Every structure is written in structure tokens, then in C-alpha cells.
Amino acid sequence: MFQLNKRVFLCSGLRTPFGHLAKTLATIEPEDLMGSVIREIIKRTQLNTDLVNGVLIGCVGQGSHAPNIARIAALKAGRLPECANAFTLQANCISSFEAITSAARHIQTGEGDLYIVGGTES
């Protein structure tokens, strides 16, 4: 794998509220939570969505209704190009961190310049 001499920056951060097991947020699907986070990040940062190369989301237990939560969340967020890459990483306890390091690798190898990265559970 060819590595470019590129620096990688985290430019914004946002998270959903914490909830209690089987309480207020229990009926909200993780892809809906992530979709709202992506929408809000785009709004707060005034991000030019045409520049987004991909969406990488960590999630341990996506269901059969949303087998690739990254793609579903990206579509639910709207305003992202349909051609943007979107994939879900599943690794117990570190899936969000793995999504961050995967995006950094994509940038360092020249596969893209701008990624939306996150993690979701519900």
C-alpha cells in the first residue's frame, strides 16, 4: 500500500445524548440516531457535502433491517452524494476508533480527503 505524506485532522465532533436501558431513546434505531448526527454536523460546519468521499460508522450489532448502518445513516442524513463510499465496521468495544483509523488510512493512501466518521448503538 502506497502511503502519501498527508496529515489527518479531526475537524468537528458531536454525539447523541446518553439514554438508559429500555427508556427514552430505546425506540430510536441506531441508523436514525447516526443520521441525525450527520445532518447536524453538516449544518454546524457548513460542510460542502460534494467533497465528502465517504461515511465510516462503527456499530457492533446492526440488525437485518439495516445491515450497513453507514449507508442507511448517510441516506437518512440527506444531502450527501449517493456516490460517497459508506461502510460499517464491526469490532466489539473499538468499532468507532477503528472507523477513525480506517478513515485516516484512506486519506493517507490517497483514497479520499474528507470522511464523516462515527459510531452508533441503540
Side-chain angles (χ1 to χ4, degrees), residues 55-84:
V55 177
L56 287 73
I57 304 298
C59 181
V60 173
Q62 58 269 19
S64 60
H65 69 284
N68 182 358
I69 283 185
R71 172 60 65 203
I72 303 300
L75 292 173
K76 285 182 178 269
R79 302 186 339 203
L80 287 171
E82 284 189 31
C83 64

Side-chain angles (χ1 to χ4, degrees), residues 8-63:
V8 177
F9 298 91
L10 296 175
C11 299
S12 182
L14 184 65
R15 67 155 297 115
T16 57
F18 282 97
H20 295 285
L21 184 62
K23 298 267 176 138
T24 311
L25 301 174
T27 60
I28 302 173
E29 297 291 344
E31 59 274 12
D32 293 324
L33 288 171
M34 195 68 232
S36 66
V37 168
I38 293 171
R39 230 181 353 269
E40 188 63 24
I41 283 178
I42 291 168
K43 179 180 164 187
R44 288 184 187 190
T45 62
Q46 298 178 358
L47 179 65
N48 178 352
T49 55
D50 291 334
L51 301 176
V52 175
N53 298 111
V55 177
L56 287 73
I57 304 298
C59 181
V60 173
Q62 58 269 19

